[in-house]
Amino acid sequence: MARLTFLGHSCFEIVTDEHTLLIDPFLTGNPVANRTADDCSPDFILLTHGHADHVGDAVAIAQRTGATVLANYEISEWLTRQGVKSHGMQMGGEFSFPFGRVKMTIAFHGSQLPDGSEGGNPAGFLIKLPTGTIYHAGDTALFSDMRLYGEEGIDVAILPIGDNYTMGPGDAVRATKFLEPRQVVPCHFNTWPPIAQDAQAWAHEVRTQTTAEPVVLAVGDSLELSS
Ligand code: NI
Ligand code: MN
């Protein structure tokens, strides 16, 4: 089994039979978070890019738990300098981890690290678990090569819908058409006023325009993947 839990903003936890993964663990300072960094015990942390609302508590959590952090090469070097165990990747690259295979995917956005360091290129992840494939798009604009990722067979796509910093609800519907996932989960909205969105209105458009099932998770809610 695998359980996907929304922790607010772009942060998701994936619990499999043997491992816990945490994506973009922005909890401290996240106005919608219902969990603290100390409540998280991941084996692996995945970072889509260097912005503070994604790197979040990754360093503190990894230092405390010994988790391995998957990130692009530049962020992985930055983590190494802080005594964090990391695994550097780059876009297009795939690697087998104990929990499954991960492909780092392209994203159109920025990636500067919280201290101003150069954070390389932003990314997303295709996370290929034995129980299904999850795509976390990271922060990105719509791009038509999402079709190519869709060809890999996506069970759950996680897409930003907040607009302003990323694609908005309309483009997230178009992204869903490209990706053809079984289910699509919105993120990166309602954390702050500039990214306020009506997720139920978006879900209605997904239902009428695509074959995917929209799943709007409240913070703390989960969905189960089963093969
Ligand atoms: Ni960002
Ligand atoms: Mn962001």
Side-chain angles (χ1 to χ4, degrees):
M1 76 99 191
R3 193 179 67 237
L4 176 74
T5 303
F6 182 43
L7 300 182
H9 201 54
S10 287
C11 181
F12 287 82
E13 181 188 66
I14 300 169
V15 178
T16 70
D17 289 331
E18 289 176 24
H19 299 96
T20 298
L21 284 58
L22 200 53
I23 307 170
D24 288 356
F26 170 51
L27 299 165
T28 304
N30 178 349
V32 300
N34 69 348
R35 229 201 249 192
T36 68
D38 287 339
D39 294 331
C40 299
S41 307
D43 304 293
F44 295 89
I45 298 171
L46 288 71
L47 297 182
T48 61
H49 64 290
H51 290 162
D53 58 320
H54 298 261
V55 171
D57 300 294
V59 171
I61 295 170
Q63 285 176 342
R64 177 173 54 80
T65 63
T68 299
V69 184
L70 283 58
N72 73 28
Y73 177 76
E74 290 80 4
I75 294 174
S76 114
E77 289 285 289
W78 180 81
L79 292 165
T80 301
R81 289 198 292 276
Q82 300 177 72
V84 168
K85 204 190 314 167
S86 68
H87 181 106
M89 302 179 73
Q90 286 297 16
M91 290 176 290
E94 192 168 314
F95 190 82
S96 279
F97 294 92
F99 58 85
R101 287 180 72 77
V102 174
K103 178 183 276 189
M104 183 168 272
T105 59
I106 61 173
F108 290 86
H109 191 67
S111 186
Q112 190 181 58
L113 284 154
D115 64 3
S117 298
E118 210 271 297
N121 289 305
F125 293 105
L126 273 169
I127 305 163
K128 302 173 181 181
L129 306 171
T131 42
T133 294
I134 297 170
Y135 171 60
H136 190 304
D139 281 3
T140 186
L142 174 68
F143 55 93
S144 60
D145 283 354
M146 283 181 173
R147 275 201 193 96
L148 303 178
Y149 296 137
E151 287 173 4
E152 302 200 29
I154 297 169
D155 293 288
V156 180
I158 300 167
L159 300 178
I161 67 161
D163 225 337
N164 195 69
Y165 306 110
T166 66
M167 60 178 151
D171 281 351
V173 172
R174 298 166 74 194
T176 305
K177 292 176 189 172
F178 289 152
L179 293 161
E180 298 187 318
R182 288 199 305 114
Q183 295 177 304
V184 57
V185 176
C187 72
H188 214 272
F189 69 101
N190 289 359
T191 319
W192 301 288
I195 56 173
Q197 295 297 341
D198 181 345
Q200 294 305 335
W202 167 84
H204 177 76
E205 290 306 316
V206 170
R207 230 173 266 119
T208 50
Q209 295 187 43
T210 81
T211 56
E213 177 200 354
V215 182
V216 179
L217 296 174
V219 176
D221 277 2
S222 302
L223 74 81
E224 302 271 340
L225 276 85
S226 49
S227 52

